[in-house]
Amino acid sequence: MSFSISSTLSLSASSSLPHALFPPPHSSMSLLRRLRPGRLRFNIPQPPRRFATAAAAAVRQDTASWTQVPLVEVEPAAESLFHVSIDVSDAPDLVASHTRAGQYLQLRVPDVDKPTFLAIASPPSLASSEGVFQFLVKSVEGSIAELLCGLKKGDVVQLNQVMGSGFDVDQIAPPQNYPTVFIFATGSAISPIRSLIESGFGAIKRSDVRLYYGARNLKRMAYQDRFKEWESSGIEVVPVLSQPEHDWTGESGYVQAAFTRAKKAFDPLSTGVILCGQKQMAEEVTSILLADGVSSEKILKNF
């Protein structure tokens, strides 16, 4: 499975998927008009009579694996991107299943049976302390994500248990042995990277930690209000814009090109890499760093 568990699973390397995977919904705009408080429901298809016994058992098992939870917040985060917060305070099993940055889950909206995949943007500690999961969701026309972003506070969705192994930062520990860490993210795939940064991976104890974060322009770049906090934790944030405004003085083009331009001598044996985003970016960055001598085991992805 190839993800860009970016936000909607920007699993890690692709527009084809956990930032997220967007299965096509059933007539999205008509669904949005029907999604009103008091009318939210989840459909469970009825099997043919001759398969009723076996199918009923399967339906019971499927129903048991989904948890109904209310939305706390659906607010714009950037152009086409939305902050989505979900109250999981009454779902201790869900909270317990989120153990590592980079993990993802499936979400279903009312009246649509197919789920979408979403990478969790908040660190596991936030679910434990405040009882919420936070997501960065890209609203794509005709997608389930569009339906989700059209819901309101108090509306109910369904979540499945958290999946994936996330970013195995133990591979680049202890920090003193891996003082250099390069992080790459594009678009909504910054969501699991946010979880990583705010979970803590010893960045302040490393000498060179850089985040190359690519977006079309500043209007499409989420989490700009968090950059100072991230930098105070020991991470140099390098925004890279592929279609910047005329007055932009920072890095432009694609993140892999920006990295190549800025690349200085580094010890590949003491370097870690974390990737999440567009497939082409992830493949090109991986090729560059493997050629430089970085071990493939030290190039971390969240799928």
Side-chain angles (χ1 to χ4, degrees):
M1 185 179 294
S2 171
F3 297 95
S4 183
I5 247 154
S6 15
S7 103
T8 349
L9 232 29
S10 187
L11 271 177
S12 164
S14 137
S15 52
S16 64
L17 208 165
H19 351 229
L21 180 66
F22 302 124
H26 308 153
S27 20
S28 62
M29 297 313 295
S30 64
L31 285 174
L32 278 173
R33 287 194 291 269
R34 298 207 313 271
L35 297 180
R36 294 290 183 268
R39 299 184 64 185
L40 301 178
R41 60 191 178 86
F42 293 90
N43 291 333
I44 299 177
Q46 296 302 312
R49 184 182 300 271
R50 64 183 179 278
F51 298 123
T53 302
V59 168
R60 284 195 299 271
Q61 182 178 2
D62 178 70
T63 302
S65 68
W66 292 90
T67 303
Q68 296 197 33
V69 287
L71 296 175
V72 176
E73 178 186 37
V74 181
E75 298 291 343
E79 189 175 290
S80 301
L81 297 172
F82 287 80
H83 292 296
V84 176
S85 295
I86 299 177
D87 182 355
V88 292
S89 58
D90 290 332
D93 290 345
L94 267 178
V95 172
S97 67
H98 186 206
T99 59
R100 183 183 282 175
Q103 291 180 298
Y104 56 97
L105 48 66
Q106 294 182 88
L107 177 147
R108 293 199 302 207
V109 299
D111 291 335
V112 180
D113 296 321
K114 283 189 175 181
T116 185
F117 285 89
L118 295 174
I120 303 173
S122 49
S125 59
L126 191 68
S128 300
S129 62
E130 299 184 22
V132 295
F133 283 166
Q134 295 179 340
F135 305 88
L136 180 66
V137 182
K138 183 177 182 179
S139 180
V140 177
E141 184 177 358
S143 71
I144 294 176
E146 182 186 34
L147 299 181
L148 172 61
C149 295
L151 297 177
K152 305 297 182 186
K153 178 180 179 179
D155 287 346
V156 174
V157 296
Q158 289 185 323
L159 300 181
N160 213 325
Q161 285 213 329
V162 176
M163 298 180 286
S165 56
F167 297 114
D168 186 7
V169 294
D170 290 341
Q171 293 291 330
I172 54 173
Q176 59 267 28
N177 290 355
Y178 298 92
T180 300
V181 176
F182 301 129
I183 308 171
F184 300 88
T186 54
S188 60
I190 191 64
S191 59
I193 298 299
R194 175 203 152 189
S195 180
L196 171 79
I197 293 171
E198 297 179 9
S199 295
F201 64 102
I204 199 69
K205 299 177 182 179
R206 306 177 196 262
S207 59
D208 184 10
V209 180
R210 276 176 270 165
L211 165 62
Y212 289 87
Y213 175 17
R216 181 178 299 177
N217 52 50
L218 286 176
K219 292 179 181 178
R220 288 177 173 255
M221 181 166 278
Y223 297 147
Q224 294 179 54
D225 57 332
R226 295 179 177 270
F227 288 178
K228 286 186 177 180
E229 178 185 345
W230 293 355
E231 290 182 338
S232 69
S233 72
I235 299 168
E236 179 186 355
V237 180
V238 183
V240 184
L241 306 182
S242 61
Q243 298 179 24
E245 300 294 339
H246 64 86
D247 57 347
W248 173 249
T249 59
E251 292 287 346
S252 59
Y254 296 108
V255 295
Q256 55 269 44
F259 171 70
T260 300
R261 289 193 298 267
K263 190 169 60 170
K264 302 175 183 178
F266 65 92
D267 179 3
L269 299 181
S270 61
T271 296
V273 181
I274 301 166
L275 286 171
C276 192
Q278 186 193 38
K279 182 178 180 180
Q280 181 181 349
M281 178 276 289
E283 290 178 346
E284 291 185 11
V285 167
T286 298
S287 295
I288 292 168
L289 291 164
L290 287 176
D292 286 338
V294 177
S295 169
S296 61
E297 294 180 352
K298 309 305 177 184
I299 300 177
L300 310 184
K301 303 173 185 179
N302 62 329
F303 67 94

